[in-house]
Amino acid sequence: MRILWHSNSPWAKTGYGNQTAMFWHRLQALGYPVVLSSNYGLQGSTLNIEAEGQQTQVYPTGLTMAGNDIILSHARHAKADIIITLYDAWVFDPQVMSHARWCPWLPVDHDPAPPPVVRALKAAYQAIAYSRFGQDRLKMAGIDAAYVPHGVDTRVMRPIDRNEARKKIQFPPAVADYDFLAVMVAANKGTPSRKSFPQVLRAWKAFVEDGHPKALLYLHTHAGEQFQGVNLEELLEQLEISKQNILFADPYWNILGYPDEYMANLYSAADVLLSPSMGEGFGLPILEAQACVCPVIVGDWTSMPELTFAGWKCRGEPFYTPQASWQFIPYHADILRYINEAYEARGDRALRVTAAKGALAYDADKVTRKYWKPLLAELAAEIDVEVAKPTETEGLSMVTL
């Protein structure tokens, strides 16, 4: 069984790019040839790449963001038997995807599963949810989805001595004298802020002013409106939060992408990760942080509770979105309460060990063996039967024609 994997390029410093790089060669090592199709990160030509002793080809993006104009052509050229898309399912045209064995590995970040997602999945050969929450909500909508979680490379995202990690991240001297480090690794995209930047910063202001002048919040994101997000610099001015208590990622390196080793040091150096998003399909920084012994503050909804091994879960107010479903705005009072609890628990070895142990279940090699291997074997067996006994669907121009 040959696979066309359609997502961000494996070198892209995005969550989708991260998981593409994590799994394409692992799936190929199971015996399933994988060719990559890029919807972000490559234009104009194909590119050959290698990882962990495996080689493959990356096809470029087409003229549309999702790739509806080119994905079937890539699949035919690659002689793919199935197409795995790692992206939002609702962006794909069901009339296009119904002509392939489409296996979307998809997020569900609303409750219930949004109608546009459910409608798109009517064309799926096999939907694959990457959270138990998503699998459950799709089942409620009549979609029988498999479950394969995202993974983390625990050889890289691993516990590092906190003092050593703090030396390696090399914060500027002007903010280096801190006694509590919170980090927020989140894309500043769209308004209202799905990552809850305004609520977090309101809580941070109250925390700093309540006797914590040496607390530092590191924001691993863009400060401006480059991606139609919140103008965070302006928000900080309105809230009158001192620049001594806030540090942004270097904008240049934030575009190029920080090395994974840097991120492992950052998480290990931190006392807590702030990630109370309005909704998450998975929440990769939540997993990565805990793999590096950093507890987390999250929202008590969508996928986040199942990924919280050591940390705190905020309550929130339901918010109806253009997806015709619900996300949640976290109560800033809850965020403040849990920042205070994280401050009291800083350096708590038992809490940090619990975080790392929980993350080990999501090691990429374990995810490959436990989830991808049996699922792909099942799909391959089904396709063998279809090929041996052609059905009425044979005339629908499946990608193997």
Side-chain angles (χ1 to χ4, degrees):
M1 182 177 71
R2 294 178 62 84
I3 299 169
L4 182 81
W5 179 291
H6 181 79
S7 187
N8 290 181
S9 299
W11 52 83
K13 294 299 182 179
T14 63
Y16 294 128
N18 175 290
Q19 293 300 290
T20 297
M22 192 84 64
F23 284 111
W24 78 261
H25 57 87
R26 286 178 166 87
L27 270 55
Q28 187 156 284
L30 292 175
Y32 304 100
V34 177
V35 175
L36 303 179
S37 170
S38 176
N39 64 3
Y40 170 75
L42 181 64
Q43 290 181 308
S45 180
T46 59
L47 186 68
N48 297 321
I49 62 170
E50 181 176 352
E52 301 292 334
Q54 300 290 328
Q55 296 180 343
T56 194
Q57 190 173 46
V58 187
Y59 289 142
T61 186
L63 300 178
T64 64
M65 182 184 71
N68 285 300
D69 62 320
I70 203 168
I71 190 169
L72 291 186
S73 296
H74 282 340
R76 291 190 183 101
H77 189 265
K79 296 181 172 60
D81 297 292
I82 65 171
I83 298 174
I84 296 177
T85 58
L86 172 56
Y87 209 63
D88 288 303
W90 61 268
V91 304
F92 294 101
D93 184 346
Q95 294 187 3
V96 172
M97 304 311 293
S98 64
H99 292 281
R101 297 186 186 94
W102 178 34
C103 300
W105 192 27
L106 75 144
V108 177
D109 60 4
H110 286 65
D111 193 1
V117 173
V118 175
R119 286 194 294 268
L121 292 181
K122 298 298 184 182
Y125 183 78
Q126 175 63 68
I128 310 168
Y130 49 72
S131 72
R132 288 295 187 189
F133 166 83
Q135 183 186 37
D136 179 74
R137 294 308 188 268
L138 290 175
K139 182 178 180 180
M140 292 172 63
I143 304 294
D144 185 17
Y147 167 70
V148 179
H150 280 180
V152 62
D153 187 345
T154 56
R155 298 170 300 178
V156 178
M157 295 297 168
R158 59 184 177 82
I160 300 170
D161 178 79
R162 187 167 59 164
N163 292 328
E164 289 300 314
R166 289 188 173 185
K167 292 177 183 177
K168 290 178 180 179
I169 55 178
Q170 296 181 337
F171 284 166
V175 298
D177 184 24
Y178 56 86
D179 61 9
F180 179 69
L181 175 62
V183 301
M184 193 170 179
V185 180
N188 181 20
K189 292 183 177 180
T191 52
S193 173
R194 186 171 69 85
K195 299 297 185 177
S196 307
F197 282 105
Q199 291 76 26
V200 167
L201 291 175
R202 283 187 66 199
W204 187 252
K205 170 184 171 66
F207 175 73
V208 169
E209 292 180 349
D210 189 26
H212 301 98
K214 291 187 176 182
L216 178 65
L217 173 57
Y218 171 82
L219 298 172
H220 193 80
T221 195
H222 293 285
E225 300 170 283
Q226 296 94 330
F227 300 100
Q228 293 75 52
V230 177
N231 187 327
L232 296 177
E233 295 277 15
E234 185 175 72
L235 179 57
L236 290 171
E237 288 183 10
Q238 288 188 8
L239 292 173
E240 297 181 335
I241 298 177
S242 170
K243 292 184 178 180
Q244 296 297 315
N245 302 110
I246 295 287
L247 178 66
F248 283 100
D250 182 293
Y252 178 71
W253 283 105
N254 207 31
I255 291 174
L256 293 184
Y258 281 85
D260 289 342
E261 292 76 11
Y262 178 88
M263 298 305 298
N265 279 295
L266 176 66
Y267 291 131
S268 294
D271 293 296
V272 69
L273 174 81
L274 299 177
S275 192
S277 302
M278 290 175 61
E280 286 288 354
F282 189 78
L284 194 56
I286 298 170
L287 178 60
E288 291 178 339
Q290 290 175 103
C292 300
V293 298
C294 177
V296 298
I297 296 174
V298 302
D300 194 14
W301 46 81
T302 61
S303 64
M304 292 178 278
E306 67 192 73
L307 292 179
T308 304
F309 323 119
W312 301 267
K313 293 170 283 189
C314 301
R315 298 167 298 167
E317 178 72 21
F319 176 79
Y320 193 68
T321 82
Q323 286 279 314
S325 186
W326 299 87
Q327 293 189 322
F328 296 84
I329 299 174
Y331 296 137
H332 88 275
D334 272 20
I335 301 173
L336 174 59
R337 172 188 172 188
Y338 295 136
I339 292 175
N340 275 294
E341 291 192 16
Y343 177 81
E344 295 300 325
R346 66 195 188 284
D348 185 323
R349 185 177 183 278
L351 186 67
R352 294 169 77 84
V353 168
T354 299
K357 285 184 177 179
L360 286 175
Y362 294 82
D363 174 80
D365 289 328
K366 292 181 180 179
V367 169
T368 301
R369 290 194 302 269
K370 185 174 181 179
Y371 299 104
W372 277 119
K373 184 176 181 180
L375 176 60
L376 293 177
E378 181 180 339
L379 291 173
E382 290 177 2
I383 291 171
D384 285 344
V385 171
E386 290 178 9
V387 172
K389 299 179 180 180
T391 66
E392 294 178 0
T393 62
E394 188 179 29
L396 294 179
S397 299
M398 301 297 271
V399 295
T400 48
L401 286 185

